[in-house]
Amino acid sequence: GVVVIASVAGAWFANSRQASDEAAARLLAPAQTAMQNNRTEDAIPIYQRILTDHGGAEGSREATLGLANAFFRTGNTDEAKRYYEKYISDYGSGFFGGGSDADVVLLGAESGVAACEEQEGKYLEAAIQYRTLAETHPDVFLAPQFLIDAGRCYQAAERTSDARSMYEKVVSDYEDSRYVRDARAALTML
């Protein structure tokens, strides 16, 4: 009797999980379309619905990051940061947890936190976060961009020598990167 009940419960759970995954996937498409068409205000409630109604579904990962990006676009950096941090804690360790996962999407979420700090005028905090990303993941194609971002934030924080160091690192360590021109231009402005 108990084995039959467990089997039926397992089958029911698997079916309901699949249904939730499918429903979340159906909702993701219009949210993504809204974001692509700069209708952020239309995407936010859809992403929120996915997380509320289908929190454990496969689409939750994408909805969490989509919601963070949507809030960032609207200038709501508090909510954006909250969802970037939720993405990081739910889907990877990143530099906040001391891990070495170089998942580019995860790095995007981590840089999203730094971008929120920058938008809030917390330039030194943002610079340190961008720098940490570049130093923790020097072989990822985004590393020179993170160094440029760190340099810009150090400049805004009036830490010219740190900014110079970031730009010089781009020029010396990423000479084949498309960011070298930007780094050289920034160096001439210091």
Side-chain angles (χ1 to χ4, degrees), residues 10 22 25 34 49 53 68 76-77 80 83 95 110 119 124 154 166 169 175 177:
E22 290 171 2
R49 181 173 169 202
D53 296 350
N76 187 341
T77 55
Y83 282 100
F95 75 83
E110 290 173 334
Q119 290 300 309
L124 185 57
Y154 277 129
M166 296 297 97
K169 188 165 182 62
E175 62 270 356
S177 164

Side-chain angles (χ1 to χ4, degrees), residues 13 26 30 37 41 50 60 66-68 83 151 153 163 167-168 178:
F13 179 76
R26 279 193 305 274
N37 293 324
E41 66 284 347
I50 292 168
S60 298
L67 191 54
Y83 282 100
C153 290
Y167 298 138
E168 288 173 347
R178 67 184 180 111

Side-chain angles (χ1 to χ4, degrees), residues 45-172:
I46 299 170
Y47 286 133
Q48 288 172 324
R49 181 173 169 202
I50 292 168
L51 295 177
T52 302
D53 296 350
H54 308 286
E58 286 187 30
S60 298
R61 180 177 182 142
E62 199 167 336
T64 302
L65 191 57
L67 191 54
N69 290 332
F71 279 127
F72 186 82
R73 278 192 191 178
T74 65
N76 187 341
T77 55
D78 288 336
E79 285 299 297
K81 192 179 340 177
R82 183 165 79 93
Y83 282 100
Y84 285 130
E85 289 172 346
K86 178 176 174 32
Y87 184 91
I88 293 162
S89 70
D90 289 355
Y91 303 108
S93 58
F95 75 83
F96 293 110
S100 61
D101 185 359
D103 175 350
V104 175
V105 178
L106 181 60
L107 290 175
E110 290 173 334
S111 69
V113 173
C116 289
E117 298 289 354
E118 182 179 0
Q119 290 300 309
E120 292 170 359
K122 299 176 184 173
Y123 300 117
L124 185 57
E125 293 91 336
I128 292 167
Q129 289 179 15
Y130 285 130
R131 181 180 194 161
T132 301
L133 283 169
E135 291 174 348
T136 306
H137 306 288
D139 297 328
V140 174
F141 73 95
L142 294 170
Q145 174 64 54
F146 294 147
L147 291 170
I148 294 283
D149 294 339
R152 181 184 63 250
C153 290
Y154 277 129
Q155 273 185 270
E158 299 180 6
R159 302 267 302 254
T160 306
S161 65
D162 289 322
R164 180 180 315 282
S165 170
M166 296 297 97
Y167 298 138
E168 288 173 347
K169 188 165 182 62
V170 172
V171 172
S172 66

